[in-house]
Amino acid sequence: STKFINYINPLMRAIAAKFKPIEINMEKLDYFKRKNGSSIKVGLKYDNDKLLKMKEYLKINAIDKVFGEETFCSNMYINLFTFNIKKNRNNKKRILENIKKFKLRDIKFNINRLCILKGEPIKVRRGTPSAEDEMLLEVVEEFTLKGQFWTY
């Protein structure tokens, strides 16, 4: 992890120097089926061209180079909850229909800084770590967006 932090640090500085704070508009409530098909994540979906450019820049210039290609895939959404398909088999159709019907009011938020986070699982368990493991997060470094390009 230290190698990755050292590698990504100058890239994060470059992004912070280029972009001003980003205003995000929430688009809709959406769901995403896990690759293994065992659960469905429900989250607030958003879209922002500048944030997408940052994400792709970091993926190509940091994540792929340190960890190898195809090791990271992230949809642009804020996870609200995850439900197990087997445990909710009788309610799955109703849950997904209600998610599709749900209308968001005008929800906006600003991203003023980017952070490198270090996570440690709260519960240690057997098996492969999961993206859904509850983590204790620590901010390693913050990068305030103070560039010249407006992102609104």
Side-chain angles (χ1 to χ4, degrees), residues 58-71:
L58 291 172
K59 182 182 180 327
I60 291 166
N61 295 295
I63 295 166
D64 289 350
K65 290 186 178 181
V66 174
F67 299 106
E69 290 185 33
E70 303 303 323
T71 56

Side-chain angles (χ1 to χ4, degrees), residues 89-128:
R89 191 172 297 148
N90 297 336
N91 297 321
K92 177 185 167 189
K93 185 176 178 181
R94 182 178 54 81
I95 292 169
L96 297 180
E97 285 173 358
N98 285 334
I99 290 169
K100 287 179 185 176
K101 291 179 194 174
F102 190 84
K103 302 290 181 212
L104 289 178
R105 295 190 179 178
D106 193 26
I107 300 175
K108 296 179 181 186
F109 65 93
N110 292 322
I111 296 176
N112 298 314
R113 67 184 88 99
L114 304 174
C115 299
I116 297 176
L117 302 174
K118 177 178 142 186
E120 185 176 323
I122 290 176
K123 289 184 182 178
V124 178
R125 63 180 183 86
R126 292 184 185 183
T128 308

Side-chain angles (χ1 to χ4, degrees), residues 15 35 131:
I15 289 172
K35 286 182 183 178

Side-chain angles (χ1 to χ4, degrees), residues 12-25:
M12 297 286 278
R13 287 189 193 288
I15 289 172
K18 182 174 182 175
F19 293 100
K20 288 192 180 215
I22 303 167
E23 183 177 85
I24 303 292
N25 295 311

